[in-house]
């Protein structure tokens, strides 16, 4: 997988971090294939902001041609989401990069996806994400900030490219 061509991106979670990442990636030309959230309403709201035609509260609704999956749920949910996601039969994990944005968890939390053949990474923005009125996030919210990344060698260039497209700077962090 490389970012020579724009990749389709899915978001699991539709809070402040997801909103910031999705809007920034969308503005860089990344098509958002689906937004998934426990609350269908928050998924719909974020999907509208990034001209995404699919919103859901079900993991099995992720289109099979999605290449990057961001898990932007609360830290306490990431392990459960990774486990459930690994059991979605329609996904081709050998063509997928799964990313979580937690500053608490290492890559190990995504091991169920790695066992299915996915590349895995953590991209943790080193800043807080306030709630914005009507989720109107400034386009420059990620510009110039540092992102702590942890990833496998196979996904390093892709992850660095994503951070660059978000306007950020990379800091490699150990597990």
């Amino acid at each position: 997988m490389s970012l020579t061509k724009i990749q389709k991106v899915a978001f699991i979670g539709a809070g402040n971090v997801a909103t910031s990442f999705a809007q920034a990636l969308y503005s860089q030309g990344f098509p958002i294939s689906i937004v998934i959230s426990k609350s269908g309403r928050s998924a719909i709201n974020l999907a509208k902001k990034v001209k995404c035609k699919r919103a859901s509260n079900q993991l099995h609704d992720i289109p099979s041609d999605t290449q990057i999956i961001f898990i932007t749920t609360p830290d306490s949910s990431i392990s459960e989401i990774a486990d459930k996601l690994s059991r979605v039969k329609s996904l081709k994990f050998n063509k997928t990069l799964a990313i979580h944005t937690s500053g608490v968890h290492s890559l190990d939390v995504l091991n169920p996806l790695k066992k299915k053949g996915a590349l895995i990474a953590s991209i943790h923005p080193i800043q807080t994400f306030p709630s914005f009125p009507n989720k109107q996030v400034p386009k420059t919210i990620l510009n110039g900030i540092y992102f702590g990344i942890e990833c496998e060698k196979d996904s390093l260039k892709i992850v660095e490219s994503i951070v660059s497209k978000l306007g950020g700077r990379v800091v490699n962090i150990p597990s």
Side-chain angles (χ1 to χ4, degrees):
M1 175 189 287
S2 74
L3 280 183
T4 54
K5 109 179 185 118
I6 297 298
Q7 307 291 313
K8 291 182 182 176
V9 181
F11 280 87
I12 302 170
N16 295 341
V17 173
T19 299
S20 298
F21 273 66
Q23 288 181 340
L25 288 171
Y26 176 74
S27 74
Q28 291 296 313
F30 284 80
I32 309 303
S33 63
I34 192 166
V35 178
I36 297 174
S37 180
K38 271 189 195 179
S39 161
R41 173 66 50 208
S42 65
I44 290 168
N45 289 340
L46 178 52
K48 285 179 183 177
K49 291 185 185 327
V50 294
K51 308 247 186 302
C52 173
K53 295 179 179 160
R54 297 182 84 174
S56 177
N57 61 3
Q58 300 295 315
L59 295 175
H60 66 264
D61 288 336
I62 296 174
S64 62
D65 62 345
T66 300
Q67 293 113 342
I68 301 172
I69 300 172
F70 273 92
I71 301 173
T72 55
T73 59
D75 294 343
S76 61
S77 301
I78 296 171
S79 179
E80 178 185 356
I81 294 292
D83 185 55
K84 287 180 179 178
L85 188 59
S86 74
R87 291 186 257 137
V88 175
K89 294 186 186 328
S90 62
L91 292 175
K92 300 171 188 134
F93 290 104
N94 63 334
K95 297 184 180 191
T96 305
L97 170 61
I99 300 169
H100 75 70
T101 57
S102 170
V104 173
H105 294 292
S106 72
L107 284 183
D108 294 346
V109 73
L110 298 179
N111 275 343
L113 299 170
K114 181 179 178 177
K115 288 177 184 173
K116 293 288 186 167
L119 294 174
I120 57 173
S122 171
I123 299 177
H124 174 64
I126 304 173
Q127 88 168 21
T128 59
F129 288 85
S131 183
F132 292 97
N134 299 321
K135 299 261 184 195
Q136 294 300 324
V137 177
K139 291 184 189 239
T140 58
I141 192 166
L142 300 173
N143 289 350
I145 71 165
Y146 286 92
F147 288 79
I149 67 167
E150 179 189 3
C151 63
E152 300 168 315
K153 184 179 175 183
D154 293 344
S155 59
L156 180 61
K157 287 189 190 300
I158 301 163
V159 171
E160 288 176 336
S161 181
I162 290 169
V163 171
S164 175
K165 291 195 182 289
L166 291 169
R169 300 174 188 182
V170 170
V171 175
N172 290 299
I173 55 172
S175 292

